Amino acid sequence: MKALFVRLYRFTRVRGLIVLFAGLTAGLTLLAMGGLEKLSGAGGVLGMALSALVMIVVGAARYPRSAGTPSHEQVVFGLLRAKKKYCLILRPFGQDAEIVLPKTGAKRRTGGGPFIRNLTMEQLVTRAARTVLDMDTYGIVDQRTTFAPPGPILMRAADDVWQEVAQRLISRAHVIVLILPPDRDFGDGFVWEIEQIRQAGVTSRVVIVLPPCDQDPEAYEAALRRACVLLALLDGELDHFKVHEYELMLPSGTLVIRSTADGAKWWQTRDEPAGRTMLGRKRKTVVADVTYLEVLEVALREIDHEQS
């Protein structure tokens, strides 16, 4: 449920909640003070609030949780036997749909008013892999996670077998996408998966995705530092000098990093002239779904080209 609430909050934003609360409060107050003779005025205010409520309900309906997560026995054997190319998503357990991005419209705007459609990072990765490489995207969740946000094919694995499942998927993955959540450090399981990537010799297939730099700058900078640690781990044992070298190398605003034989290649937000509102104020730069899709597609194409 947490993932759904995160997406709903991103959909309504604070302005939407204010419209709902203020409208209901004002409408009910008018009804209580004036009775039926004030019904027309109160009805208008209540109508505004109820319209906001309808929008929130519609938002909830647009972002349902998937029907269920299959067991790894139902997926892995057939996937590996078919020798199909696939994209594998890895991230700390319990961090599904933690990164939510506004969805741009036809005119590359993130929408107006308090209600903004959005997508999870897992959905963006799934779309990029499907668009560029015509591949399905897979991930592993805890055995207790019977429902998961829509997007990639997320399979359940118990505590005593998930490492075996992960190891088999890592060794055969065409692309491995590591998603770094904004507020979670590496756990032992995630570090173990990084070591399996290194031992399998597939570090050049790795793409690291950071959270957007505009939503929580402090959390973003912490994630950027963790990305430097991650790159050092992919190079070999953790070397603090290597971590510092990456810290000097990667600029703030980096969104996607690709691990290469020479170290790393990265893509960052573009420095564009700030737009202005009708009142002349600078328009806030928003990192949206298309911002990631454009660079993710480039990174995936490069990996596919090198393996062809």
Side-chain angles (χ1 to χ4, degrees):
M1 290 299 294
K2 179 183 176 182
L4 180 60
F5 285 131
V6 170
R7 296 196 66 184
L8 279 177
Y9 169 73
R10 295 290 183 192
F11 176 69
T12 60
R13 309 299 295 179
V14 175
R15 291 174 294 176
L17 296 178
I18 291 174
V19 168
L20 176 61
F21 178 78
L24 287 174
T25 301
L28 293 173
T29 301
L30 285 173
L31 284 177
M33 293 176 60
L36 293 177
E37 64 270 16
K38 298 280 187 171
L39 182 60
S40 59
V45 179
L46 280 173
M48 178 179 65
L50 291 176
S51 297
L53 182 60
V54 169
M55 288 293 292
I56 293 173
V57 172
V58 170
R62 293 178 73 93
Y63 307 130
R65 298 173 70 84
S66 58
T69 54
S71 172
H72 69 91
E73 292 99 336
Q74 300 173 268
V75 179
V76 175
F77 179 74
L79 176 63
L80 299 182
R81 183 179 60 179
K83 297 182 179 180
K84 292 174 57 179
K85 295 180 180 180
Y86 60 89
C87 172
L88 177 64
I89 289 179
L90 299 176
R91 65 269 182 265
F93 276 115
Q95 295 297 295
D96 306 315
E98 284 293 306
I99 302 178
V100 178
L101 299 160
K103 180 176 175 56
T104 53
K107 295 183 179 180
R108 298 177 70 88
R109 295 180 180 177
T110 55
F115 304 107
I116 301 174
R117 293 183 60 194
N118 55 56
L119 294 171
T120 67
M121 185 60 74
E122 288 85 352
Q123 288 177 316
L124 294 182
V125 173
T126 301
R127 179 188 296 182
R130 171 60 61 186
T131 301
V132 176
L133 306 178
D134 193 26
M135 294 189 310
D136 291 328
T137 301
Y138 296 84
I140 304 173
V141 293
D142 187 85
Q143 180 67 27
R144 296 180 292 274
T145 306
T146 55
F147 293 91
I153 301 170
L154 299 176
M155 64 194 85
R156 290 178 283 111
D159 293 342
D160 57 344
V161 298
W162 77 265
Q163 289 185 331
E164 178 185 352
V165 175
Q167 192 173 42
R168 296 177 67 186
L169 290 171
I170 287 170
S171 63
R172 289 281 306 279
H174 194 70
V175 178
I176 301 173
V177 179
L178 308 178
I179 298 178
L180 299 186
D183 56 357
R184 175 68 66 89
D185 207 346
F186 302 148
D188 293 339
F190 191 63
V191 173
W192 180 87
E193 289 172 330
I194 303 308
E195 177 60 20
Q196 300 312 301
I197 292 173
R198 194 182 66 82
Q199 290 186 10
V202 293
T203 56
S204 61
R205 304 179 190 181
V206 171
V207 174
I208 303 171
V209 178
L210 281 79
C213 53
D214 64 326
Q215 293 183 7
D216 188 338
E218 290 186 6
Y220 166 79
E221 292 297 334
L224 183 59
R225 290 191 293 271
R226 289 195 293 272
C228 296
V229 174
L230 188 54
L231 288 168
L233 287 172
L234 289 170
D235 287 343
E237 294 185 6
L238 184 59
D239 184 333
H240 293 289
F241 291 103
K242 193 70 174 178
V243 173
H244 184 60
E245 182 180 337
Y246 280 120
E247 287 177 343
L248 296 175
M249 184 185 304
L250 297 178
S252 182
T254 298
L255 299 179
V256 173
I257 307 168
R258 189 196 153 199
S259 176
T260 67
D262 300 327
K265 182 177 181 179
W266 61 90
W267 292 264
Q268 63 191 100
T269 54
R270 291 182 243 172
D271 291 328
E272 297 180 352
R276 294 189 176 274
T277 65
M278 294 179 63
L279 299 176
R281 288 182 285 184
K282 287 186 177 180
R283 192 183 302 276
K284 181 182 177 182
T285 300
V286 177
V287 178
D289 62 330
V290 69
T291 314
Y292 277 93
L293 281 172
E294 290 174 348
V295 296
L296 269 173
E297 291 177 358
V298 173
L300 296 184
R301 282 195 184 97
E302 287 189 0
I303 293 174
D304 184 60
H305 178 73
E306 290 181 4
Q307 295 187 63
S308 299

